[in-house]
Amino acid sequence: MEDVSLEIHGEKILGLVGESGCGKSVTGLSILRLISTPPGKIVSGEILLEGKNLLPLAEREMERVRGNEISMIFQEPMTSLNPVFTIGDQIMEAILFHQGIGKGEARKKAVEMLGRVRIPSPETTIDSFPHS
């Protein structure tokens, strides 16, 4: 991929679409700094998030940014949720990691999120497994 330039203002959401193999995932993974070096390499430019360049950040700092301020919805739905863990455990894992709150509060937030995306019966769905 060469010469990619995206500019998203405010709290907007970008949907990147294109044919299979055109570089959508590589672009997203590069922005999130999830491409292994080597083989991947960002040779020039900046990745600015609210005026802050993400390229020089230490990995620990990037972990705080990913999921809190910027994220990617991966295109393969069958690998999005692990069938061994409940839906709630997987949603709560990200909340606990990024927000530093207790398990009870994380569970409430997870139920709220399921409701916001119109999952039926979020209070019971949270304890279900993805394949149920």
Side-chain angles (χ1 to χ4, degrees):
M1 238 23 242
E2 288 186 34
D3 299 320
V4 175
S5 180
L6 304 170
E7 190 170 332
I8 307 162
H9 296 277
E11 293 185 12
K12 300 293 182 189
I13 296 171
L14 171 71
L16 194 56
V17 296
E19 293 187 22
S20 181
C22 73
K24 301 177 300 287
S25 294
V26 169
T27 300
L29 292 169
S30 296
I31 291 168
L32 292 167
R33 289 193 28 215
L34 291 173
I35 297 283
S36 297
T37 306
K41 185 169 145 181
I42 297 174
V43 294
S44 66
E46 299 173 307
I47 300 173
L48 298 175
L49 178 64
E50 296 180 356
K52 182 179 187 178
N53 188 0
L54 302 182
L55 290 179
L57 295 183
E59 181 57 26
R60 190 82 166 139
E61 292 174 282
M62 269 309 292
E63 287 175 358
R64 287 192 280 275
V65 171
R66 285 187 213 113
N68 266 337
E69 300 177 53
I70 189 171
S71 59
M72 175 176 170
I73 299 171
F74 294 93
Q75 61 190 18
E76 181 49 61
M78 296 307 288
T79 61
S80 295
L81 292 174
N82 187 328
V84 176
F85 299 102
T86 67
I87 292 166
D89 284 340
Q90 294 177 71
I91 295 171
M92 288 171 24
E93 178 183 23
I95 295 168
L96 291 166
F97 181 83
H98 288 290
Q99 297 185 14
I101 59 176
K103 205 168 186 176
E105 187 64 28
R107 182 179 173 86
K108 286 180 190 174
K109 284 187 175 241
V111 168
E112 179 188 331
M113 286 183 206
L114 289 170
R116 287 176 67 186
V117 295
R118 298 189 178 128
I119 299 292
S121 308
E123 299 82 11
T124 55
T125 299
I126 196 168
D127 295 317
S128 300
F129 290 88
H131 53 78
S132 302

